[in-house]
Amino acid sequence: MASETGDSSMDREMILADFQACTGIDNIAEAITLLELNNWDLVAAINGVIPQENGILQSNFSSEASQASVFGPPSQSEAADAAAGGAVPPTSSSSSSSSPPSSSTTAFCPSNLTSRHIVERQPRMLNFRVEYRQRTVELVLEEGSTVGEINQILETELGIPVSKMQLKGWKSGDVSDSTVLRSLHLPKNNSLYVLTPDIAPTASTSKNSTLQESLNQNFLLVISHREAQRDYNLNFPGSRTIQEVKRNISDLTNIPVRHQQWEGWPTSASDDSMTLAVSGISYPCHHLSVCRRSLPANPQEPTEECADVHMVSDSEGDDFEDASEFGVDDSEMFGMGSSTCRKSPMMPENSDNEADALLHFTAEFSSRYGETHPMFYIGSLEAASQEAFYGKARDRKLLAIYLHNDDSVLSNVFCSQMMCADSIVSYLSQNFITWAWDVTKETNKARLLTMCTRHFGSVVTQTIRTYKTDQFPLLLIVMGKRTSNEVLNVIQGNTTVDELMMRLMGAMEIFTAQQQEDIKDEDEREARETVKREQDEAYRLSLEADRKKREAQEREEAEQVRLEQMRREQEEEKEAIRLSLEQALPPQPDEDSAEQISKLRIRTPSGEFVERRFLGSCKLQVLFDFVASKGYPSEEFKLLTTFPRRNITQLDPGSTLLEAKLFPQETLFLEAKE
């Protein structure tokens, strides 16, 4: 197929992506500058950067040489030599040159670059940075090399037998020594690390033990998407590279890696090929933020298919020969094929984690058909069902299950024209939870059927089995019901946008009617539960009030008992003191005693009089004890004379009655102290 004459039909953003993929230039500003210098001519820009890696050289042929250079089929002798494995000798200037690549090749040669011709293509070189404890080994190998060759080089460099060495860090799954590097679709720069569990670390490698532990640790990255005002909490192993993290975020936010603008990475994380363990981020949690970087060029609508540009000769009537005769692979003409041109599986086979498989599906879908597509749910089918069916009735949605099959001729048309239509994308995003799966591989299809049997029953599984490959892709519309989940519609790939929209709207009408009934039932149930909660709360408050009242009454009664007990104890104590004082009093002397007698008459606060005789030599304390024995202790009452008024209790208890002038007789009265 001939190349497009200008860049008006190709999105500059796609050109920029292809240019970066082919040249390995990560600096966007530098890449844009190189493209502008070549008037956004992708082929000219690539040849200006890597003229020897893509098999195209610039030369200044004369008009006669360009006219004489005619592509033709190889001679019989050349074909025999090629079949025997020998090199084809170069032809003379008078003979025809080697055959050009067929129309299936992805090599570029615009029609205005007739002076360029294909020469022997140099092999693509891959760079490897291998870390082992405190050592780092830099390797450069052809992509036709095997993993075993890397192990042999590391055995020589590190002095470790291959049998005790484990080479880790590959992006794909199981890798054996016979695996060819080209089959792994590796980028130009790669980071690997070596584990030797059977070899104990020495003193010189003690520092690297921390690195090995970090590689096995999980880092929690809290990533804030500023435009969407949403946070993602993602767990990554320490062996994951920064580039892989950015790719996963691209799948979640639909922001391509080259357009991502980050904040929060440490200054040491200058290389995207670094692992998280050595990047310097905080453990166990690190906070980052990401947003979309504004582009300098005016964006255009993304193209749905990769533009194929091929080599052409001056003779337009000659047919192209197979490019394999030149040793040029369709997807490798520029050393590393564009991600939009190389068709990799939509979903890896035998993936252990459904979320990882769907992340890969979303990334590949975006790579093939553009960023405008339904937001596929990242998680298991069970989690998607929970999200769609088992929330509040007002929040429930329909579940759309998209089943993709690359072997169907309808897949590309359905994806590019139906699933990526703005109206379909908007309608699915608002009303559906969209979950996807790739059934191209039989193992993935069997896994899907097992999941459908578990969640929807054998009827749905049998329905999917009845569809043939050329009827795919399928879009299953599932509605959650009280007792079971029901498949409302199965939309096949041979449909139109209008028909697809009508069937989606029809399913929404059925779902809306059911949803209104569920909302009514839920509101009535919540009203009943509210009344019951209010009644239960009122009953609880009543019980609480009764309990508090009963406790207050019990406390009051207990206080009364306590006070009564204290009063009795005090009275008993006073009575005991009174009796002891009464017994300790000296006997009352007779009236005809020869000693001096003092006769005292005491009036109590109640108006009664108490009389007693005391010896004049008695101490005042004896008088105080006598008054206390009658129930009037000196601590509470004071003893006063009538005239002149004197407070006897303030006198020295050791003085005698004669000294206190209470002789031969005196009238006293008791008065309570204030």
Side-chain angles (χ1 to χ4, degrees):
M1 182 181 67
S3 170
E4 296 291 339
T5 59
D7 63 1
S8 59
S9 63
M10 179 179 292
D11 184 7
R12 289 191 174 186
E13 185 176 340
M14 298 293 291
I15 296 176
L16 177 62
D18 292 340
F19 180 73
Q20 288 184 298
C22 293
T23 61
I25 298 176
D26 294 330
N27 191 310
I28 295 178
E30 180 183 354
I32 292 176
T33 301
L34 293 173
L35 286 169
E36 289 179 346
L37 290 175
N38 292 276
N39 197 23
W40 287 89
D41 187 333
L42 180 60
V43 178
I46 291 175
N47 283 305
V49 177
I50 47 174
Q52 294 182 358
E53 286 191 357
N54 54 15
I56 301 176
L57 294 176
Q58 296 181 1
S59 61
N60 296 320
F61 291 114
S62 63
S63 59
E64 292 83 6
S66 63
Q67 292 176 0
S69 177
V70 179
F71 292 108
S75 63
Q76 294 180 355
S77 61
E78 292 173 347
D81 292 339
V88 178
T91 59
S92 63
S93 59
S94 61
S95 63
S96 61
S97 62
S98 301
S99 300
S102 66
S103 60
S104 62
T105 182
T106 58
F108 291 92
C109 183
S111 57
N112 59 349
L113 299 177
T114 57
S115 62
R116 296 171 183 160
H117 65 91
I118 294 180
V119 298
E120 182 180 358
R121 179 181 180 274
Q122 298 295 327
R124 179 170 176 254
M125 308 303 291
L126 300 178
N127 300 326
F128 292 91
R129 177 187 177 92
V130 185
E131 297 177 357
Y132 174 66
R133 297 183 177 174
Q134 282 188 305
R135 297 190 58 183
T136 301
V137 179
E138 303 284 349
L139 303 178
V140 179
L141 292 92
E142 298 180 4
E143 65 176 356
S145 305
T146 63
V147 176
E149 295 178 25
I150 297 180
N151 289 333
Q152 292 174 0
I153 296 174
L154 292 176
E155 181 180 17
T156 303
E157 293 290 333
L158 302 177
I160 301 173
V162 175
S163 59
K164 297 185 178 181
M165 185 190 315
Q166 297 179 9
L167 188 58
K168 301 292 185 180
W170 301 105
K171 305 298 186 296
S172 57
D174 296 335
V175 176
S176 62
D177 288 350
S178 60
T179 302
V180 180
L181 299 180
R182 182 185 293 109
S183 65
L184 300 177
H185 305 292
L186 298 174
K188 187 173 184 62
N189 298 315
N190 302 271
S191 293
L192 304 175
Y193 59 95
V194 174
L195 297 180
T196 53
D198 296 336
I199 301 177
T202 61
S204 62
T205 60
S206 59
K207 293 183 179 180
N208 199 46
S209 61
T210 304
L211 174 61
Q212 297 299 330
E213 294 178 359
S214 299
L215 290 171
N216 297 326
Q217 289 174 339
N218 284 332
F219 290 80
L220 174 61
L221 298 185
V222 180
I223 302 175
S224 176
H225 182 194
R226 292 201 290 271
E227 288 95 346
Q229 295 184 352
R230 179 177 178 182
D231 292 341
Y232 298 95
N233 297 327
L234 305 177
N235 281 295
F236 292 100
S239 59
R240 190 68 61 90
T241 64
I242 297 176
Q243 181 69 19
E244 291 174 321
V245 173
K246 292 183 177 180
R247 288 174 181 170
N248 288 341
I249 292 302
S250 174
D251 297 334
L252 292 175
T253 62
N254 287 330
I255 303 177
V257 174
R258 63 183 180 277
H259 294 162
Q260 293 174 5
Q261 183 171 350
W262 288 85
E263 291 183 3
W265 288 109
T267 55
S268 59
S270 58
D271 187 359
D272 284 356
S273 63
M274 276 188 174
T275 61
L276 296 180
V278 300
S279 64
I281 64 174
S282 303
Y283 177 80
C285 179
H286 190 80
H287 291 265
L288 300 167
S289 62
V290 64
C291 65
R292 181 182 292 272
R293 179 189 290 111
S294 58
L295 293 177
N298 294 327
Q300 302 176 2
E301 290 297 322
T303 58
E304 295 178 354
E305 297 181 0
C306 177
D308 294 331
V309 184
H310 305 281
M311 300 299 297
V312 296
S313 68
D314 293 339
S315 177
E316 298 180 353
D318 294 338
D319 294 334
F320 292 107
E321 296 295 329
D322 191 356
S324 61
E325 297 181 10
F326 295 92
V328 180
D329 185 68
D330 289 351
S331 63
E332 298 167 356
M333 185 53 127
F334 292 100
M336 185 173 76
S338 172
S339 60
T340 58
C341 295
R342 186 179 63 246
K343 189 174 181 180
S344 61
M346 291 290 287
M347 183 174 289
E349 192 173 5
N350 297 324
S351 177
D352 296 332
N353 188 293
E354 294 179 27
D356 292 342
L358 287 168
L359 281 173
H360 186 281
F361 183 97
T362 303
E364 183 62 26
F365 195 98
S366 301
S367 175
R368 292 189 190 181
Y369 308 112
E371 299 293 341
T372 303
H373 60 76
M375 182 64 69
F376 297 117
Y377 184 89
I378 305 301
S380 63
L381 180 58
E382 181 180 4
S385 301
Q386 292 283 343
E387 180 79 10
F389 304 150
Y390 298 106
K392 286 187 172 294
R394 287 180 173 81
D395 300 332
R396 294 172 191 167
K397 293 184 178 182
L398 286 171
L399 177 62
I401 302 177
Y402 172 67
L403 303 182
H404 186 87
N405 193 325
D406 273 334
D407 295 336
S408 173
V409 296
L410 301 174
S411 293
N412 285 332
V413 175
F414 186 86
C415 292
S416 60
Q417 299 184 13
M418 314 299 170
M419 295 295 288
C420 294
D422 291 340
S423 58
I424 300 298
V425 171
S426 176
Y427 198 79
L428 287 175
S429 300
Q430 293 177 6
N431 304 292
F432 292 76
I433 298 294
T434 306
W435 187 84
W437 197 259
D438 182 23
V439 296
T440 306
K441 302 293 184 181
E442 285 299 323
T443 54
N444 289 339
K445 184 175 182 180
R447 186 173 181 181
L448 170 74
L449 296 177
T450 302
M451 291 187 289
C452 289
T453 303
R454 185 187 312 123
H455 298 294
F456 308 127
S458 59
V459 176
V460 177
T461 304
Q462 188 60 32
T463 302
I464 297 175
R465 291 180 186 273
T466 58
Y467 287 96
K468 299 179 180 179
T469 300
D470 56 359
Q471 294 175 304
F472 279 81
L474 301 179
L475 190 63
L476 280 67
I477 309 301
V478 185
M479 181 178 70
K481 304 190 72 173
R482 295 183 180 89
T483 57
S484 62
N485 300 324
E486 177 183 353
V487 178
L488 297 181
N489 212 332
V490 179
I491 304 174
Q492 300 181 28
N494 55 348
T495 184
T496 63
V497 174
D498 293 339
E499 183 181 354
L500 176 59
M501 179 61 74
M502 290 299 295
R503 298 182 73 171
L504 292 177
M505 295 175 64
M508 271 303 299
E509 290 179 0
I510 300 174
F511 171 73
T512 302
Q514 180 64 47
Q515 187 182 34
Q516 294 301 323
E517 295 181 5
D518 293 342
I519 292 174
K520 181 180 178 181
D521 294 342
E522 189 176 73
D523 291 342
E524 292 176 355
R525 182 172 62 255
E526 289 181 354
R528 290 193 300 269
E529 292 176 355
T530 301
V531 171
K532 186 176 183 301
R533 284 196 300 269
E534 293 175 352
Q535 293 175 347
D536 293 343
E537 182 65 15
Y539 179 71
R540 187 188 66 80
L541 293 176
S542 176
L543 292 178
E544 184 71 14
D546 292 342
R547 182 183 62 80
K548 291 181 178 180
K549 183 177 180 181
R550 183 171 61 256
E551 290 176 353
Q553 184 176 0
E554 291 175 355
R555 286 195 301 269
E556 183 178 356
E557 293 175 355
E559 183 67 14
Q560 291 178 357
V561 171
R562 188 183 65 83
L563 294 176
E564 182 65 20
Q565 181 68 21
M566 290 178 59
R567 187 184 62 78
R568 286 198 302 268
E569 291 175 356
Q570 290 176 358
E571 290 179 356
E572 290 174 358
E573 184 179 1
K574 289 180 180 179
E575 181 64 18
I577 294 173
R578 189 190 68 78
L579 290 176
S580 63
L581 292 174
E582 187 177 30
Q583 293 174 1
L585 290 173
Q588 185 175 203
D590 297 335
E591 292 182 353
D592 55 352
S593 174
E595 297 181 10
Q596 293 179 338
I597 301 298
S598 178
K599 185 177 181 181
L600 300 178
R601 191 167 182 263
I602 304 171
R603 189 180 67 180
T604 64
S606 61
E608 298 177 354
F609 288 88
V610 178
E611 296 182 359
R612 193 181 191 283
R613 295 183 297 276
F614 298 87
L615 293 175
S617 60
C618 284
K619 307 293 185 182
L620 286 178
Q621 185 63 50
V622 177
L623 175 60
F624 296 157
D625 292 342
F626 171 76
V627 174
S629 67
K630 297 302 181 180
Y632 304 98
S634 58
E635 294 82 8
E636 300 177 7
F637 295 87
K638 53 187 177 181
L639 190 60
L640 306 172
T641 60
T642 55
F643 186 82
R645 183 181 176 89
R646 290 186 302 155
N647 188 354
I648 303 301
T649 55
Q650 293 181 347
L651 300 178
D652 184 11
S655 60
T656 62
L657 296 179
L658 292 175
E659 294 172 351
K661 299 180 182 180
L662 300 177
F663 179 85
Q665 64 181 11
E666 186 67 44
T667 300
L668 306 172
F669 65 94
L670 291 167
E671 185 178 288
K673 291 183 177 181
E674 296 178 356

